[in-house]
Coordinates of all heavy atoms in Angstrom, one line a residue:
E2 N -4.0 -48.7 49.3 CA -3.1 -49.7 48.7 C -2.6 -49.2 47.4 O -3.4 -48.8 46.5 CB -3.9 -51.0 48.5 CG -3.1 -52.2 47.9 CD -4.0 -53.4 47.8 OE1 -4.7 -53.7 48.8 OE2 -3.9 -54.0 46.8
F3 N -1.3 -49.3 47.2 CA -0.7 -48.8 45.9 C -1.2 -49.7 44.8 O -1.1 -50.9 44.9 CB 0.8 -48.8 46.0 CG 1.5 -48.4 44.7 CD1 1.5 -47.0 44.4 CD2 2.0 -49.3 43.9 CE1 2.1 -46.6 43.3 CE2 2.6 -48.9 42.7 CZ 2.7 -47.5 42.4
G4 N -1.6 -49.1 43.6 CA -2.0 -49.8 42.5 C -3.4 -50.3 42.4 O -3.8 -51.0 41.6
A5 N -4.2 -49.8 43.4 CA -5.6 -50.2 43.4 C -6.5 -49.1 43.0 O -6.1 -47.9 43.1 CB -6.0 -50.7 44.8
G6 N -7.7 -49.4 42.6 CA -8.7 -48.3 42.3 C -8.6 -47.9 40.9 O -8.0 -48.5 40.0
Y7 N -9.3 -46.7 40.7 CA -9.4 -46.2 39.3 C -8.0 -45.8 38.7 O -7.9 -45.7 37.5 CB -10.3 -45.0 39.2 CG -11.8 -45.4 39.5 CD1 -12.4 -45.1 40.6 CD2 -12.4 -46.2 38.5 CE1 -13.7 -45.5 40.9 CE2 -13.7 -46.6 38.7 CZ -14.4 -46.3 39.9 OH -15.7 -46.7 40.1
G8 N -7.1 -45.4 39.5 CA -5.8 -45.0 39.1 C -4.8 -46.2 39.0 O -3.6 -46.0 39.0
S9 N -5.3 -47.4 39.1 CA -4.5 -48.6 39.2 C -3.5 -48.8 38.0 O -3.9 -48.6 36.8 CB -5.4 -49.8 39.3 OG -4.6 -51.0 39.2
L10 N -2.3 -49.2 38.3 CA -1.4 -49.5 37.2 C -1.8 -50.7 36.4 O -1.3 -50.9 35.3 CB 0.0 -49.7 37.8 CG 0.7 -48.4 38.4 CD1 2.0 -48.8 39.1 CD2 0.9 -47.4 37.3
S11 N -2.7 -51.5 37.0 CA -3.1 -52.7 36.2 C -3.9 -52.4 35.0 O -4.1 -53.2 34.1 CB -3.9 -53.6 37.2 OG -5.1 -53.0 37.5
L12 N -4.4 -51.1 35.0 CA -5.2 -50.7 33.8 C -4.3 -50.7 32.5 O -4.8 -50.8 31.4 CB -5.8 -49.3 34.0 CG -6.9 -49.1 35.0 CD1 -7.3 -47.7 35.2 CD2 -8.1 -50.0 34.7
F13 N -3.0 -50.5 32.7 CA -2.1 -50.6 31.5 C -2.3 -52.0 30.8 O -2.1 -52.0 29.6 CB -0.7 -50.4 32.0 CG -0.2 -49.0 32.0 CD1 -0.1 -48.4 33.3 CD2 0.0 -48.3 30.9 CE1 0.4 -47.0 33.3 CE2 0.5 -46.9 31.0 CZ 0.6 -46.3 32.2
N14 N -2.5 -53.0 31.6 CA -2.6 -54.3 31.0 C -4.0 -54.7 30.6 O -4.2 -55.6 29.8 CB -2.1 -55.4 32.0 CG -0.7 -55.3 32.2 OD1 0.1 -54.9 31.3 ND2 -0.2 -55.6 33.4
R15 N -5.0 -54.0 31.1 CA -6.4 -54.4 30.8 C -7.1 -53.5 29.8 O -8.1 -54.0 29.2 CB -7.2 -54.4 32.1 CG -6.8 -55.5 33.1 CD -7.8 -55.6 34.2 NE -7.5 -54.5 35.1 CZ -8.3 -54.0 36.0 NH1 -9.5 -54.5 36.1 NH2 -8.0 -53.0 36.8
I16 N -6.7 -52.3 29.6 CA -7.4 -51.4 28.7 C -6.4 -50.9 27.6 O -5.3 -50.5 27.9 CB -7.9 -50.2 29.4 CG1 -8.9 -50.6 30.5 CG2 -8.5 -49.2 28.5 CD1 -9.4 -49.5 31.4
A17 N -6.8 -51.1 26.3 CA -5.9 -50.6 25.2 C -6.2 -49.1 25.0 O -7.3 -48.7 24.9 CB -6.3 -51.4 24.0
F18 N -5.1 -48.3 25.0 CA -5.2 -46.9 24.8 C -3.9 -46.4 24.1 O -2.9 -47.1 24.3 CB -5.6 -46.1 26.0 CG -4.7 -46.4 27.2 CD1 -3.6 -45.6 27.5 CD2 -5.0 -47.4 28.1 CE1 -2.8 -45.9 28.6 CE2 -4.2 -47.7 29.2 CZ -3.1 -46.9 29.4
E19 N -4.0 -45.3 23.4 CA -2.9 -44.8 22.7 C -2.1 -43.7 23.5 O -0.9 -43.5 23.3 CB -3.3 -44.1 21.4 CG -3.9 -45.1 20.4 CD -4.2 -44.4 19.1 OE1 -3.4 -43.7 18.5 OE2 -5.4 -44.5 18.7
F20 N -2.8 -43.0 24.4 CA -2.2 -41.8 25.0 C -2.5 -41.9 26.5 O -3.5 -42.5 27.0 CB -2.9 -40.5 24.6 CG -2.7 -40.3 23.1 CD1 -3.7 -40.7 22.2 CD2 -1.6 -39.7 22.6 CE1 -3.6 -40.5 20.9 CE2 -1.4 -39.5 21.2 CZ -2.4 -39.8 20.4
I21 N -1.5 -41.4 27.3 CA -1.7 -41.1 28.7 C -1.5 -39.6 28.9 O -0.6 -39.1 28.3 CB -0.8 -42.0 29.6 CG1 -1.1 -41.8 31.1 CG2 0.7 -41.7 29.3 CD1 -0.5 -42.7 32.0
E22 N -2.3 -39.0 29.7 CA -2.2 -37.6 29.9 C -1.8 -37.4 31.4 O -2.4 -37.9 32.3 CB -3.6 -36.9 29.7 CG -3.5 -35.4 29.8 CD -4.8 -34.8 29.4 OE1 -5.1 -34.6 28.2 OE2 -5.6 -34.5 30.4
I23 N -0.7 -36.7 31.5 CA -0.1 -36.4 32.9 C -0.6 -35.0 33.3 O -0.3 -34.1 32.6 CB 1.4 -36.6 32.9 CG1 1.8 -38.0 32.4 CG2 2.0 -36.3 34.3 CD1 3.3 -38.2 32.3
A24 N -1.2 -35.0 34.5 CA -1.7 -33.7 35.0 C -0.6 -32.7 35.2 O 0.5 -33.0 35.6 CB -2.5 -34.0 36.3
E25 N -1.0 -31.4 35.1 CA 0.0 -30.4 35.2 C 0.5 -30.2 36.7 O 1.5 -29.5 36.9 CB -0.6 -29.1 34.7 CG -1.8 -28.5 35.4 CD -2.3 -27.3 34.7 OE1 -1.9 -26.2 35.1 OE2 -3.2 -27.4 33.9
I26 N 0.0 -30.9 37.6 CA 0.5 -30.8 39.0 C 2.0 -31.2 39.0 O 2.7 -30.7 39.8 CB -0.4 -31.7 40.0 CG1 0.0 -31.5 41.4 CG2 -0.3 -33.1 39.6 CD1 -0.5 -30.2 42.0
F27 N 2.4 -32.1 38.1 CA 3.7 -32.5 38.1 C 4.7 -31.5 37.4 O 5.9 -31.6 37.6 CB 3.9 -33.8 37.3 CG 3.4 -35.0 38.0 CD1 2.1 -35.5 37.7 CD2 4.1 -35.7 38.9 CE1 1.6 -36.6 38.4 CE2 3.7 -36.8 39.6 CZ 2.4 -37.3 39.4
T28 N 4.1 -30.5 36.8 CA 5.0 -29.5 36.1 C 5.0 -28.1 36.8 O 5.6 -27.2 36.3 CB 4.5 -29.3 34.6 OG1 3.2 -28.8 34.6 CG2 4.6 -30.6 33.9
H29 N 4.2 -28.0 37.9 CA 4.2 -26.7 38.5 C 5.6 -26.3 39.0 O 5.9 -25.1 39.0 CB 3.2 -26.7 39.7 CG 1.8 -26.6 39.2 ND1 1.3 -25.4 38.7 CD2 0.8 -27.5 39.2 CE1 0.0 -25.6 38.4 NE2 -0.3 -26.9 38.7
D30 N 6.3 -27.2 39.5 CA 7.7 -27.0 40.0 C 8.6 -27.7 39.1 O 9.1 -28.8 39.5 CB 7.8 -27.4 41.5 CG 9.1 -27.0 42.1 OD1 9.9 -26.2 41.4 OD2 9.4 -27.5 43.2
E31 N 9.0 -27.2 38.0 CA 9.8 -27.9 37.0 C 11.1 -28.4 37.5 O 11.5 -29.5 37.2 CB 10.1 -26.9 35.8 CG 8.9 -26.4 35.1 CD 9.2 -25.2 34.3 OE1 10.3 -24.9 34.0 OE2 8.2 -24.6 33.9
Q32 N 11.8 -27.6 38.3 CA 13.1 -28.0 38.8 C 12.9 -28.5 40.2 O 13.7 -28.4 41.1 CB 14.1 -26.9 38.7 CG 14.2 -26.2 37.4 CD 14.6 -27.2 36.3 OE1 15.3 -28.1 36.5 NE2 14.0 -27.0 35.1
G33 N 11.7 -29.1 40.5 CA 11.3 -29.5 41.8 C 12.1 -30.6 42.4 O 13.2 -30.9 42.0
S34 N 11.5 -31.2 43.4 CA 12.1 -32.2 44.2 C 12.6 -33.4 43.3 O 12.0 -33.7 42.3 CB 11.2 -32.7 45.3 OG 10.1 -33.5 44.7
D35 N 13.6 -34.1 43.8 CA 14.1 -35.3 43.1 C 13.1 -36.3 43.0 O 12.9 -37.0 42.0 CB 15.4 -35.8 43.8 CG 16.6 -34.9 43.6 OD1 16.6 -34.1 42.7 OD2 17.5 -35.0 44.4
S36 N 12.3 -36.5 44.1 CA 11.2 -37.5 44.1 C 10.2 -37.2 43.0 O 9.7 -38.1 42.3 CB 10.6 -37.7 45.5 OG 10.0 -36.6 45.9
N37 N 9.8 -36.0 42.9 CA 8.8 -35.6 41.9 C 9.3 -35.9 40.5 O 8.6 -36.4 39.6 CB 8.4 -34.1 42.0 CG 7.3 -33.7 41.1 OD1 6.2 -34.4 41.1 ND2 7.5 -32.6 40.3
Q38 N 10.5 -35.5 40.2 CA 11.1 -35.8 38.9 C 11.3 -37.3 38.6 O 11.0 -37.7 37.5 CB 12.5 -35.1 38.8 CG 12.4 -33.6 38.6 CD 13.7 -32.9 38.3 OE1 14.6 -33.6 37.9 NE2 13.8 -31.6 38.5
S39 N 11.6 -38.0 39.7 CA 11.7 -39.5 39.5 C 10.4 -40.1 39.2 O 10.3 -41.0 38.3 CB 12.2 -40.1 40.8 OG 13.6 -39.7 41.0
V40 N 9.3 -39.7 39.8 CA 8.0 -40.2 39.5 C 7.6 -39.9 38.1 O 7.1 -40.7 37.3 CB 6.9 -39.7 40.5 CG1 5.5 -40.0 40.1 CG2 7.2 -40.2 41.9

Side-chain angles (χ1 to χ4, degrees):
E2 184 178 316
F3 179 77
Y7 291 109
S9 173
L10 292 174
S11 68
L12 291 177
F13 273 106
N14 292 327
R15 291 189 283 158
I16 299 174
F18 52 93
E19 292 182 56
F20 301 93
I21 184 169
E22 187 174 278
I23 300 176
E25 61 185 271
I26 188 77
F27 285 100
T28 62
H29 282 290
D30 185 11
E31 300 161 12
Q32 308 304 322
S34 70
D35 288 340
S36 62
N37 186 51
Q38 287 189 16
S39 293
V40 169

